[in-house]
Amino acid sequence: MEKIEYKDEGKFCSGHVACAGCAEALSMRVILNEVGDDAVGVVAPSCSAVILGGHPMSAAKIPVLHGTLESAAASASGIKRALKAQGRDDTTVLCLAGDGGTYDIGLQALSSAAERNEDILYICFDNEGYMNTGGQKSSSTPSKAVTGSTPLGKTTRKKNMIEILAAHRIPYIATTSPSHLSDMAAKIKKAKTIRGTKVIFVLIPCLPGWGVADNAAVKTARLGVESGVFPLFEVENGVDYTMTVAQRTKPIDGYLAQQKRYRSLDDAGRAELQAEVDDTWSRLTERAGQTG
């Protein structure tokens, strides 16, 4: 087992109301510590908004604006422009949203900000559903996953937001996982050095929404990376792909077995999902100039 040496900078306070064992709170701690003091946050209605809380009890030691679900990127853009007008070009404007606020309801504002190449750092905590309102499916929900609104399993594939954003040719896109904290910290650090729109996706296995054991969120996230279900990579300027974990070492079975949302999946369905992951991995590694 690898021991991770990590120094907590104290930018994320204890006493928040995340579910016990939540990987989003863990990820938020790493992100806020890496972003530092000179930052302003914008939070869309989501688990992030619940976890961070409101003034004066917020868990974040930076100013945070709680906005609307559809306007997070627009609000962040406005704050960044106001800071620039004050000569505070180096202040990081950090947008924190869930997949519902990114893939669905907030997509218009995010696309517009990306098209203008606004100088913001946008974080999507992707738990693949509307998990703090009952676990309904979002367009980030993968096919065959059971949710509150797809009791027999979702019939369509997960929207490929990476490719949509890459088509905007923004400077930086990355995927990260709470199972690879050093990789996450390095990508946040790198994003801070880049001017323009940066978008980072964090896989968050939702304990109640996915039916994952309280102590298994990080393990599930690691299996997602190791099986290639959630590859870790970067896209620069929409065209330069780099795998940051270049190998798959396991089939998807172990990843699926951690989750109750796939417990009724039969062998044929499991084979379809494996083929889907194989196809995505093959195309991704080809773009990165590697072999899987």
Side-chain angles (χ1 to χ4, degrees):
M1 179 180 294
E2 179 188 1
K3 181 180 179 182
I4 299 174
E5 298 293 340
Y6 184 73
K7 181 182 178 183
D8 184 14
E9 302 293 340
K11 307 304 178 190
F12 181 70
C13 303
S14 60
H16 54 75
V17 296
C19 299
C22 175
E24 182 164 331
L26 171 64
S27 303
M28 199 174 285
R29 179 180 301 280
V30 173
I31 291 166
L32 289 174
N33 283 336
E34 200 60 47
V35 167
D37 291 322
D38 190 12
V40 176
V42 175
V43 182
S46 58
C47 291
S48 299
V50 175
I51 293 170
L52 287 178
H55 178 79
M57 303 297 288
S58 175
K61 287 191 173 181
I62 60 172
V64 174
L65 169 71
H66 287 250
T68 62
L69 193 52
E70 67 273 21
S71 67
S75 299
S77 301
I79 290 172
K80 183 64 183 183
R81 291 190 177 206
L83 290 168
K84 283 185 174 179
Q86 297 173 20
R88 295 177 60 185
D89 284 3
D90 293 332
T91 300
T92 300
V93 176
L94 175 70
C95 197
L96 302 170
D99 53 278
T102 302
Y103 287 70
D104 297 331
I105 301 170
L107 177 57
Q108 179 185 7
L110 177 57
S111 175
S112 296
E115 185 271 332
R116 297 190 304 269
N117 197 24
E118 299 283 354
D119 189 14
I120 60 174
L121 173 55
Y122 190 104
I123 306 291
C124 173
F125 292 113
D126 188 357
N127 58 22
E128 300 184 333
Y130 291 85
M131 294 307 178
N132 70 338
T133 57
Q136 301 89 351
K137 72 100 175 173
S138 76
S139 58
S140 173
T141 305
S143 58
K144 305 189 186 308
V146 169
T147 71
S149 53
T150 57
L152 299 180
K154 191 185 176 207
T155 57
T156 55
R157 296 179 66 159
K158 179 173 182 168
K159 184 186 290 182
N160 192 332
M161 274 298 297
I162 305 290
E163 291 302 306
I164 291 171
L165 288 167
H168 289 69
R169 298 294 181 97
I170 59 175
Y172 188 68
I173 308 165
T175 58
T176 66
S177 168
S179 61
H180 293 66
L181 296 182
S182 298
D183 176 81
M184 180 187 295
K187 287 171 176 169
I188 297 294
K189 186 176 182 178
K190 180 175 181 177
K192 283 185 64 181
T193 68
I194 299 171
R195 293 294 187 187
T197 306
K198 292 82 61 178
V199 183
I200 295 179
F201 293 86
V202 188
L203 178 66
I204 303 295
C206 178
L207 303 175
W210 293 19
V212 172
D214 290 353
N215 63 351
V218 172
K219 178 182 179 181
T220 304
R222 183 174 294 280
L223 287 168
V225 174
E226 292 175 342
S227 63
V229 172
F230 194 83
L232 299 187
F233 62 103
E234 300 171 306
V235 186
E236 296 185 62
N237 302 311
V239 293
D240 295 325
Y241 284 68
T242 303
M243 305 296 294
T244 53
V245 173
Q247 299 294 326
R248 290 188 299 168
T249 57
K250 297 177 179 174
I252 64 171
D253 298 334
Y255 174 71
L256 300 182
Q258 295 291 315
Q259 310 169 47
K260 290 183 179 177
R261 62 178 179 165
Y262 292 112
R263 62 184 170 186
S264 299
L265 194 64
D266 58 19
D267 290 343
R270 192 172 295 106
E272 285 183 37
L273 282 181
Q274 182 67 67
E276 192 177 298
V277 169
D278 292 346
D279 177 63
T280 301
W281 179 268
S282 177
R283 288 186 290 108
L284 185 59
T285 53
E286 183 178 354
R287 287 183 176 181
Q290 299 177 212
T291 57

